[in-house]
Amino acid sequence: MAGPFTREDFENLVPADKKLDPAWVKSLLERGSRTVYRWPESRLIGLPIGGLCAGQLYLGGDGRLWHWDIFNQHIGTGAEHYAKPMEPRSPLEQGFALRVVAGGLAQVRALDHTGWRDVTFNGEYPLGFVEYRDPDAPVSVSLEAFSPFIPLNVLDSSLPATVMRFTVKNTSAQPVEVELAGWLENAVCLHSGQSRDVLRRNRLVRRAGLLALECSAEPMPEDQVSPKRPDILFDDFERSTYDSWTGEGKAFGTGPIEMDKMPDYQGKVGGQGRRVVNSHATAPGHDVAAKDAATGTLTSRPFTIERNYITFLIGGGAHQGRTCVNLLVDGQVVLSATGRNDNRMAPHTWDVRRWAGRTAQIQVVDRETGSWGNIGLDHIVFTDQPRRDLGPLAEESDFGTMTLALWKASPEDLAAVALPDPRVPAGIFSQNAADRSPTATRPFGQKLLGALTRKWSLAPGASGEAVFFITWHFPNLRMDRLPPGRHYATRFASALAVAEHLAQRYPELRELTHRWHDTWYDSTLPYWFLDRTFLNTSILATSTCHRFANGRFWGWEGVGCCHGTCGHVWQYAQAVARLFPELKRDTRERVDFGLALQKDGAIHFRAEFNDIPAVDGQAGTILRALREHQMSTDDSWLKRNWPAIRRATEWLIAKDGDGDGLIEGNQHNTLDTDWFGPVAWLSGMYLAALRAAEEMARVVGDDAFARRCREIFERGQRKLVAELFDGEYFINKPDPRHLDAINSGTGCHIDQVLGQSWAWQVGLGRVLPEKETVSALRSLWRYNFTPDVGPYRQRYKPGRWYAMPGEGGLLMCTFPRKDWDYAQAKGKGPEWAAGYFNECMNGFEYQVAGHMIAEGLVQEGLAVTRMVHDRYHAARRNPWNEVECGDHYARSMASYGVFLAACGYEYDGPRGRLGFAPRLTPEHFKCAFTTAEGWGSFSQQIGQGVLRARVELRYGRLRLSTLALRLPAGISGHTVTATVAGEATAVRVERTGGRLEVQFAPACQLEAGQALEVRVAGKAGA
Ligand SMILES: [Ca+2]
Ligand SMILES: [Ca+2]
Ligand SMILES: [Ca+2]
């Protein structure tokens, strides 16, 4: 991709000459072809394949479903999955398999990598395609997997469901008998069942063309529950030494710690009595990092397992195998529990019935030296009564239903409610003695699996199709301080109801999902670019995103970390507002300009979860308000929210103090600390927000406020350039009163012109002057873009890993000037926050990439985007999981903004204005677009003195008063004709600079299937 490099190239750690391989550069712009991964290269793939805000289910690289985070368990993740990608793992048994009889010989093949020599994967979100081939098989199988996904249609895109559509083709020269089976383990109460008496039930339902296996659970009938023996308290740690426990390492000190003597920042750990085990509090060292760095183990004396359960309180880090409590039987770890990156301990229960009578030991482990490198433990009890205070089973977080269903089932399709042998796939086919009765029950602990099968006789060349649905319904989402319940549960009573709804609407929902997919990929833009800029939209279909029963949308930054649809993180994510604008309007109105808005206009950027505003988040939210307005059909949303938007703007103006357009004082921001002094990045965001507020003020008729914003903006624009442009790029000036504060100073910081990047996203034009802005972007390319981060990170060690040595990226902040370096930049602040300077974080990189493309640095912008794409090649890690401080990190949805920049897309719904200015191949260009009520395809061709543009609506409707285009060189635009749905239509034309506005009065209205065509001619200079 780049090189060869010599030592000298890295003299400044980031080479000025990137030495990019010409073939790699060429591939940035080439259309290319669909991205197909072949097993085992596809091993780490996990394509989110459920509906929006419905949990997190992955489609694996061989078509197996995995992860299954649908049980409301609140899985915590951190930065670790970049360097160590998650291994495919499934907490339940589910799969599909094929039995083929040809020429009297039967073969059984699982539909995964074990069953076929050639398994290929193509993921084009929201669709996943898997192909199974084997020279020894008389058939081939194609899988198409998806959950309905239709932009602008939140409800139809939010089903807790996955469609698995298989096509089996006879590729041999003789007839074959084929049976395709799908199986599902009843995993209801997957976790809570370990600590209470649960009976699982499978039921077969045949109705309305659906054959469904419904999985549910219920309390065990009283007469089947075995009597309880008294509890045995194994250890409560209420003494100053560990006594019979054997310790190793330093982390655990000499004995259990008194909770009163633990560091205050650990908070209340919630132990029983006075003392607990805590490998942070007892570790040597005087700061968080030193204490986390200590390691050790504690191992109990051997004991006999003589109760059904072991219960204990556990807290601390969530590192599997590294901050954990283990159960050892015969010296082997048979069970392991971790904390949840939370010092507060929570009860945990192990079901140990399998090892009754055996000798065991408990081992407490801290092998983690980094963040959350500690484990807490207290109150170990052996019991038959796993947890006290058990509420009703129906209130457990993992209580609900699951369904495996076969669409358009015929009486020949067979079902087994309980397989005689849980070994799969051998036991699943119809010749086996499965239980064919309509219901079956099993106590928790005994596997209960059901199966559905379809048979065909296929002549040579013939195909058969089977469409399976997997649906789930786990309504008991509960999160601290947040409204309860899952939104999907307000629409459906059970997983079966979801399956029935899907069965009724399947052809339509599949067609619409394909229609969007085809519209997206029906483009002149490169395949890799379309893949990467859209695939982060799948973050909506992961546990990063939730929608509560009351309709409120809520997001982590990344799965399980950190809280509160964080304003300064989510403001980078451009995808949701353009695809599902109602979710964003609601979040602005209900949260940012609702419960998070303070009297003085400050917006608490984590709403319920913090009490401070962030300068960048605040400015970004004002800019987002303009975008949300632009994605509306009329002014009503803006009018309703204007008083709050104005108040939020006033808060920023107050931070400016003297009204010179530069913010002073403390400036909290997305790098998680307060910066001081005039900061180009933050004051630039402020200027962009002033422009957005000015535009909105004009719409609602608040002209005085519009003028005030304009005046400050104009002063600020001049002053920002005069004070902070150093001739090459924008810098910050330390505040003499806060010289100890973190400050990138004369470093080259990734977000220095973010305000202008934002301005392009919402059609605000220039916030910062062109010459200086382009120079800043060129500096980012020169000083921050490296084809190999290795040498830089060798020198600058702090920071997390989002690009490994050998991988390239755009560094957050480098220090090209002699007067300022990393050591000064970090001030007296904590190393972790300064460590951000040395990282490559995708969301920021996308922001810059889109901005580069918008300003004409197309190759550079594509290279930055492609470098992220290459880092996430399936051979390295899951392409569908961009990691920051958590999986599926929301900021990565900035990638959609790169796409918009490539199209030069502009839209203002209430004004009926749509515009394009393609930055790639404008002479022959095609892309998808969305608007407030419809989406479709835009294309333009330039040749022989004529520009032809076409807006084809494929879904919904579109009201258009103005179509804006960029006039190519040589075409004046004096002759413009237009047709709407084939009818010639009169237009007015306005030309400003290189911009052409084609105006319709009255506005034209397109319905799905209709197109608007414009022909622009006229010789320039004529
Ligand atoms: Ca205790
Ligand atoms: Ca540790
Ligand atoms: Ca000021």
Side-chain angles (χ1 to χ4, degrees):
M1 162 269 287
F5 291 102
T6 64
R7 235 188 130 66
E8 287 68 45
D9 286 316
F10 285 98
E11 205 169 44
N12 294 318
L13 301 174
V14 173
D17 178 358
K18 312 304 175 190
K19 294 193 180 177
L20 298 174
D21 178 351
W24 187 80
V25 172
K26 191 156 165 273
S27 76
L28 297 178
L29 281 153
E30 278 172 348
R31 169 76 168 143
S33 53
R34 301 175 77 167
T35 309
V36 177
Y37 296 111
R38 178 165 267 110
W39 190 273
E41 185 186 53
S42 55
R43 199 178 63 83
L44 297 171
I45 284 176
L47 171 71
I49 204 73
L52 312 184
C53 303
Q56 184 173 328
L57 176 61
Y58 281 160
L59 179 70
D62 64 350
R64 286 294 292 262
L65 297 171
W66 64 284
H67 195 58
W68 293 95
D69 176 15
I70 58 174
F71 302 102
N72 303 318
Q73 291 302 296
H74 309 306
I75 293 171
T77 58
E80 64 276 4
H81 285 160
Y82 186 83
K84 287 181 217 150
M86 212 183 337
E87 288 289 325
R89 202 177 294 153
S90 185
L92 57 94
E93 292 198 37
Q94 193 282 320
F96 296 90
L98 203 62
R99 183 171 185 273
V100 190
V101 183
L105 290 172
Q107 43 178 263
V108 169
R109 292 174 186 272
L111 286 161
D112 59 36
H113 70 275
T114 63
W116 306 78
R117 261 187 260 176
D118 186 23
V119 181
T120 59
F121 186 95
N122 165 234
E124 295 181 342
Y125 192 76
L127 289 158
F129 303 95
V130 187
E131 299 289 329
Y132 303 91
R133 302 276 185 281
D134 194 312
D136 295 335
V139 297
S140 66
V141 181
S142 303
L143 163 63
E144 172 191 303
F146 68 97
S147 189
F149 180 96
I150 305 143
L152 309 179
N153 185 335
V154 174
L155 289 185
D156 282 345
S157 307
S158 306
L159 299 177
T162 293
V163 175
M164 302 285 276
R165 175 178 175 269
F166 293 95
T167 308
V168 183
K169 186 174 182 191
N170 181 353
T171 52
S172 76
Q174 55 180 330
V176 297
E177 298 294 316
V178 179
E179 187 173 2
L180 176 61
W183 68 90
L184 176 67
E185 178 185 350
N186 184 331
V188 178
C189 297
L190 181 68
H191 305 275
S192 61
Q194 291 173 15
S195 54
R196 51 193 303 163
D197 297 305
V198 171
L199 191 68
R200 280 163 164 171
R201 181 178 297 277
N202 276 4
R203 179 169 77 106
L204 289 177
V205 180
R206 250 182 217 276
R207 62 181 177 234
L210 198 68
L211 172 59
L213 169 77
E214 186 187 49
C215 306
S216 61
E218 60 210 45
M220 183 79 83
E222 280 302 324
D223 56 352
Q224 290 176 39
V225 176
S226 46
K228 313 273 186 250
R229 296 161 288 187
D231 287 356
I232 300 166
L233 174 65
F234 181 67
D235 208 332
D236 58 5
F237 301 106
E238 293 302 310
R239 53 187 192 279
S240 60
T241 64
Y242 289 118
D243 288 356
S244 63
W245 293 74
T246 310
E248 270 179 21
K250 300 212 162 124
F252 292 95
T254 52
I257 180 119
E258 286 178 66
M259 285 187 275
D260 289 349
K261 299 200 173 145
M262 294 178 68
D264 288 343
Y265 58 78
Q266 285 193 277
K268 294 242 177 293
V269 296
Q272 293 225 347
R274 290 180 55 213
R275 290 176 185 265
V276 297
V277 175
N278 189 290
S279 73
H280 186 87
T282 47
H286 297 288
D287 60 43
V288 177
K291 283 176 167 290
D292 274 347
T295 58
T297 58
L298 274 184
T299 308
S300 78
R301 62 175 169 78
F303 58 87
T304 304
I305 294 182
E306 51 187 316
R307 294 289 184 273
N308 291 339
Y309 306 99
I310 298 175
T311 66
F312 50 90
L313 294 169
I314 183 171
H319 306 281
Q320 281 186 5
R322 305 204 304 288
T323 54
C324 56
V325 177
N326 295 331
L327 181 70
L328 309 182
V329 174
D330 297 333
Q332 299 295 311
V333 177
V334 295
L335 290 173
S336 184
T338 70
R340 295 177 177 193
N341 290 350
D342 190 346
N343 289 314
R344 176 169 279 272
M345 294 190 287
H348 194 91
T349 300
W350 281 332
D351 181 345
V352 293
R353 286 174 281 193
R354 270 165 291 177
W355 300 284
R358 306 272 295 273
T359 301
Q361 285 168 289
I362 290 170
Q363 186 181 48
V364 195
V365 176
D366 178 354
R367 286 198 192 100
E368 175 59 44
T369 55
S371 169
W372 282 113
N374 83 80
I375 185 80
L377 175 70
D378 196 16
H379 208 68
I380 304 169
V381 177
F382 303 160
T383 179
D384 286 339
Q385 176 79 42
R387 262 189 328 191
R388 319 236 180 293
D389 311 325
L390 288 178
L393 183 67
E395 289 177 10
E396 292 283 2
S397 60
D398 55 358
F399 180 83
T401 50
M402 307 173 69
T403 299
L404 173 70
L406 190 50
W407 184 64
K408 273 206 171 170
S410 74
E412 287 79 50
D413 294 325
L414 289 174
V417 71
L419 294 168
D421 178 348
R423 277 175 309 165
V424 286
I428 53 177
F429 295 102
S430 56
Q431 84 280 8
N432 293 94
D435 184 348
R436 305 277 168 202
S437 55
T439 64
T441 57
R442 296 267 191 288
F444 188 91
Q446 294 177 27
K447 278 189 190 293
L448 176 58
L449 285 89
L452 307 177
T453 65
R454 172 167 292 177
K455 289 181 178 182
W456 303 274
S457 300
L458 295 177
S463 303
E465 182 193 270
V467 178
F468 288 91
F469 303 149
I470 290 168
T471 64
W472 57 94
H473 190 272
F474 294 95
N476 299 334
L477 178 70
R478 264 182 233 100
M479 298 169 82
D480 187 29
R481 300 180 222 183
L482 292 168
R486 286 199 179 266
H487 188 254
Y488 67 65
T490 64
R491 304 170 59 205
F492 303 103
S494 68
L496 182 61
V498 177
E500 287 179 326
H501 172 87
L502 188 52
Q504 252 176 26
R505 303 211 31 223
Y506 170 71
E508 176 200 359
L509 295 177
R510 174 167 182 258
E511 192 277 321
L512 287 167
T513 302
H514 273 269
R515 199 191 297 177
W516 168 257
H517 165 270
D518 296 352
T519 301
W520 180 260
Y521 282 96
D522 178 13
S523 171
T524 53
L525 291 164
Y527 267 102
W528 74 264
F529 184 80
L530 294 168
D531 284 346
R532 184 51 55 188
T533 54
F534 195 71
L535 64 75
N536 285 310
T537 309
S538 67
I539 292 167
L540 287 169
T542 69
S543 293
T544 294
C545 297
H546 294 293
R547 200 168 179 213
F548 306 125
N550 70 359
R552 176 173 161 195
F553 176 88
W554 188 92
W556 296 100
E557 293 179 21
V559 176
C561 169
C562 303
H563 280 106
T565 329
C566 175
H568 61 64
V569 168
W570 276 81
Q571 61 134 332
Y572 291 77
Q574 299 291 348
V576 190
R578 301 300 184 182
L579 295 160
F580 299 101
E582 68 179 89
L583 294 178
K584 284 290 161 182
R585 281 193 299 266
D586 185 66
T587 306
R588 294 294 84 74
E589 181 158 11
R590 199 194 295 237
V591 182
D592 299 330
F593 301 126
L595 61 97
L597 184 72
Q598 308 304 303
K599 275 211 179 71
D600 63 353
I603 299 168
H604 292 169
F605 59 84
R606 296 191 197 279
E608 293 96 332
F609 292 90
N610 74 347
D611 55 5
I612 51 167
V615 167
D616 54 344
Q618 184 94 7
T621 300
I622 292 159
L623 285 154
R624 291 190 289 172
L626 174 60
R627 182 190 62 193
E628 287 22 321
H629 163 67
Q630 291 175 340
M631 285 303 288
S632 306
T633 53
D634 59 33
D635 298 339
S636 57
W637 182 88
L638 179 59
K639 285 186 171 144
R640 217 167 48 241
N641 287 279
W642 174 247
I645 297 168
R646 181 178 155 149
R647 189 145 40 109
T649 310
E650 303 264 19
W651 181 85
L652 270 181
I653 294 173
K655 291 291 286 182
D656 174 352
D658 55 7
D660 67 349
L662 298 184
I663 289 182
E664 41 263 358
N666 73 311
Q667 296 159 61
H668 195 80
N669 60 62
T670 198
L671 301 183
D672 293 329
T673 47
D674 285 10
W675 289 30
F676 289 87
V679 177
W681 155 40
L682 299 168
S683 285
M685 280 294 285
Y686 167 49
L687 297 182
L690 285 171
R691 280 284 296 114
E694 179 198 351
E695 293 288 322
M696 291 185 278
R698 291 205 194 286
V699 172
V700 300
D702 193 343
D703 290 338
F705 193 69
R707 273 196 304 278
R708 187 169 158 221
C709 291
R710 181 82 205 180
E711 283 162 19
I712 304 172
F713 162 72
E714 284 176 358
R715 275 198 296 279
Q717 190 193 44
R718 282 193 301 274
K719 183 139 192 196
L720 190 109
V721 174
E723 294 257 314
L724 300 176
F725 186 72
D726 82 343
E728 198 179 15
Y729 58 85
F730 289 93
I731 59 165
N732 313 325
K733 290 194 174 156
D735 180 337
R737 288 159 300 177
H738 297 277
L739 291 173
D740 285 346
I742 195 167
N743 195 313
S744 62
T746 62
C748 190
H749 172 238
I750 196 161
D751 273 346
Q752 58 183 280
V753 285
L754 173 61
Q756 182 60 60
S757 181
W758 240 118
W760 293 127
Q761 291 289 326
V762 284
L764 283 176
R766 293 231 74 95
V767 166
L768 298 170
E770 181 174 357
K771 187 166 138 274
E772 287 79 1
T773 306
V774 171
S775 178
L777 292 170
R778 284 195 194 287
S779 301
L780 284 169
W781 175 256
R782 177 172 171 191
Y783 297 121
N784 297 49
F785 182 79
T786 177
D788 179 359
V789 302
Y792 195 88
R793 292 305 297 273
Q794 183 63 32
R795 166 91 169 274
Y796 295 103
K797 292 206 164 54
R800 301 156 300 176
W801 292 97
Y802 304 125
M804 307 307 290
E807 295 172 349
L810 193 64
L811 294 159
M812 288 289 289
C813 187
T814 62
F815 301 93
R817 305 286 186 249
K818 298 240 180 306
D819 65 344
W820 201 258
D821 59 19
Y822 177 78
Q824 279 166 285
K826 82 186 180 77
K828 289 244 159 49
E831 190 86 284
W832 57 264
Y836 294 163
F837 288 149
N838 307 327
E839 299 174 0
C840 292
M841 292 197 250
N842 314 345
F844 298 86
E845 293 175 282
Y846 288 135
Q847 174 279 112
V848 173
H851 192 182
M852 285 172 159
I853 291 170
E855 303 270 7
L857 304 180
V858 174
Q859 184 177 305
E860 289 85 348
L862 290 175
V864 171
T865 310
R866 176 61 174 271
M867 209 54 101
V868 182
H869 187 66
D870 287 356
R871 297 208 297 264
Y872 282 90
H873 188 280
R876 296 187 157 118
R877 48 188 59 85
N878 180 2
W880 285 269
N881 178 15
E882 291 195 10
V883 181
E884 224 188 87
C885 78
D887 286 352
H888 301 281
Y889 200 79
R891 189 171 1 232
S892 279
M893 285 190 278
S895 64
Y896 195 84
V898 189
F899 166 78
L900 295 180
C903 305
Y905 165 93
E906 273 181 47
Y907 176 65
D908 186 331
R911 278 191 203 159
R913 182 191 159 89
L914 180 65
F916 297 92
R919 313 289 173 177
L920 283 79
T921 65
E923 67 287 351
H924 173 61
F925 183 82
K926 194 168 196 182
C927 67
F929 67 86
T930 63
T931 63
E933 294 180 289
W935 44 260
S937 185
F938 168 79
S939 60
Q940 71 172 42
Q941 319 281 332
I942 301 167
Q944 297 171 328
V946 179
L947 163 68
R948 290 170 205 277
R950 180 178 158 88
V951 175
E952 183 189 328
L953 202 70
R954 295 195 178 159
Y955 176 87
R957 56 189 178 160
L958 171 61
R959 189 180 56 82
L960 209 58
S961 302
T962 304
L963 178 67
L965 301 167
R966 176 175 282 187
L967 273 175
I971 298 177
S972 70
H974 279 85
T975 319
V976 176
T977 56
T979 62
V980 176
E983 303 266 325
T985 304
V987 293
R988 281 192 50 215
V989 174
E990 263 186 38
R991 284 172 300 267
T992 32
R995 215 65 180 131
L996 177 79
E997 289 202 349
V998 184
Q999 298 170 350
F1000 304 86
C1004 66
Q1005 182 95 30
L1006 294 180
E1007 303 290 330
Q1010 294 181 335
L1012 157 70
E1013 292 183 321
V1014 174
R1015 182 181 183 277
V1016 181
K1019 253 209 178 81

